[in-house]
Amino acid sequence: MCVINNNIMKTSANSGSEELTILHRGTDITFNVELEVLYFYRVAHLIYLVALDGSEYPLRQSLNGIKTRLGTNFLQINRSVIFNFNFVETYRPGIKRDTLELTFRKSIQRIISGKIKNLFTVTREHLGLIRDRLDSEIQGN
């Protein structure tokens, strides 16, 4: 079990799936990270977890600290966002040079549609990894 300030990330012994337990308003909330967490994002110096139901929870951890504790399905797409690629279908060229825009699974379109559009833009420093990952998944299907 790994303690992240008031947030606890642990691996369940039964299923082998990674779980994240956070303290939110005096209540422990546990997420199956691969199935219930869409992404983590940073605004100013605050980090938030966005759950599959669209709920947002503040975390006391840096984005880099969170990234090191997540499985391989979570990839950083820009300076502010780490996204769960279980919910990404493909990508297309971005509006700006050397960027990509992600295309999401229909099951999360409602949650994503209300967000700032460029929040999910893949920037230059992350292009190669994201392209390689999605291209290999598309070819594998």
Side-chain angles (χ1 to χ4, degrees):
M1 176 167 43
C2 180
V3 177
I4 307 174
N5 291 339
N6 287 335
N7 307 310
I8 302 168
M9 190 176 282
K10 62 184 177 180
T11 301
S12 169
N14 297 336
S15 65
S17 64
E18 195 171 37
E19 293 181 339
L20 172 65
T21 301
I22 63 170
L23 179 62
H24 181 69
R25 297 183 181 171
T27 304
D28 284 342
I29 302 172
T30 301
F31 299 94
N32 177 315
V33 176
E34 298 289 325
L35 301 176
E36 297 176 321
V37 176
L38 285 178
Y39 61 97
F40 298 87
Y41 75 100
R42 179 182 68 201
V43 174
H45 296 289
L46 301 173
I47 306 298
Y48 293 90
L49 173 155
V50 178
L52 189 56
D53 65 1
S55 300
E56 296 188 14
Y57 303 92
L59 300 178
R60 294 182 182 172
Q61 178 66 24
S62 70
L63 215 52
N64 281 336
I66 290 169
K67 184 169 77 170
T68 62
R69 292 173 171 84
L70 295 171
T72 58
N73 283 330
F74 283 85
L75 297 174
Q76 189 161 2
I77 62 172
N78 58 47
R79 290 178 53 183
S80 300
V81 177
I82 298 172
F83 208 92
N84 183 344
F85 272 68
N86 287 328
F87 299 102
V88 175
E89 285 204 355
T90 190
Y91 64 87
R92 63 179 179 251
I95 295 171
K96 292 184 179 179
R97 183 176 162 201
D98 294 331
T99 63
L100 299 175
E101 290 183 15
L102 300 176
T103 303
F104 305 103
R105 298 195 185 279
K106 290 183 181 178
S107 61
I108 67 163
Q109 289 291 336
R110 176 188 55 81
I111 298 164
I112 299 299
S113 66
K115 302 297 178 188
I116 301 167
K117 185 167 179 67
N118 67 358
L119 184 65
F120 306 113
T121 298
V122 179
T123 55
R124 177 182 303 170
E125 51 274 4
H126 304 284
L127 279 176
L129 178 64
I130 302 304
R131 245 192 220 131
D132 292 348
R133 171 69 182 269
L134 288 172
D135 289 347
S136 68
E137 287 181 10
I138 291 167
Q139 291 173 2
N141 288 339

